[in-house]
Amino acid sequence: KAGVTQTPRYLIKTRGQQVTLSCSPISGHRSVSWYQQTPGQGLQFLFEYFSETQRNKGNFPGRFSGRQFSNSRSEMNVSTLELGDSALYLCASSWGGRADTQYFGPGTRLTVL
Amino acid sequence: AQSVTQLDSHVSVSEGTPVLLRCNYSSSYSPSLFWYVQHPNKGLQLLLKYTSAATLVKGINGFEAEFKKSETSFHLTKPSAHMSDAAEYFCVVIGGSGGYNKLIFGAGTRLAVHP
């Protein structure tokens, strides 16, 4: 069974630009969650999508948004990039039930110059 | 609100000696707890999880953790460290009510294994 895939693996952008990251979950999984990992703040929850609906949201500004498609693939968008958005963005998929194991992808490394 | 505290940011052991990574949790109800491992430039891999069944949970690669409600702890152990265990380890709790899949991560413990 294929794991969670994320594209692209690396991105370099400049301040003020926007970026879209993609996540393909494990086949059959309906929940996709996004996390940001930085050396200063650690791993922080961004949002979760289940059956094309945002079910949970973390404490991030509105510049961070996402969506989920009918095939459960998810995209995350960050508009008006700031230097502090440089991070590893991880997505995870699961069946969607409480405490179901979340399987993580390899992440997208975003660098904002 | 749910939270976890990893008591050591760095742990260093010799190959073949026991590993102990400490984690305390705070939860207003029976928690679901996890340990994840992250190798350099890799994603996160689940080691084990506790969801109110047996208090001693066995995971992959010889790791296990014991849920102790009286001590609000969920420490990760392994009898004998291997060089390949060098990585960062995260203790994780499921978020609050309605937070079905919101994982709350500890700050992480970096494990170094010396020959």
Side-chain angles (χ1 to χ4, degrees), chain B residues 23-98:
Chain B
C23 173
N24 286 350
Y25 70 89
S26 174
S27 177
S28 52
Y29 49 82
S30 183
S32 295
L33 293 159
F34 307 77
W35 276 98
Y36 277 86
V37 61
Q38 186 176 34
H39 291 275
N41 300 314
K42 295 284 181 67
L44 292 153
Q45 181 183 21
L46 179 71
L47 281 176
L48 50 82
K49 73 175 184 180
Y50 167 78
T51 53
S52 76
T55 56
L56 182 62
V57 184
K58 293 190 184 300
I60 62 171
N61 301 335
F63 285 94
E64 63 181 38
E66 186 171 8
F67 175 75
K68 291 188 176 180
K69 186 176 179 179
S70 60
E71 300 176 11
T72 61
S73 69
F74 189 57
H75 301 335
L76 182 71
T77 60
K78 183 174 181 177
S80 176
H82 191 273
M83 295 296 289
S84 61
D85 294 328
E88 187 142 26
Y89 292 78
F90 295 94
C91 182
V92 182
V93 66
I94 287 279
S97 60

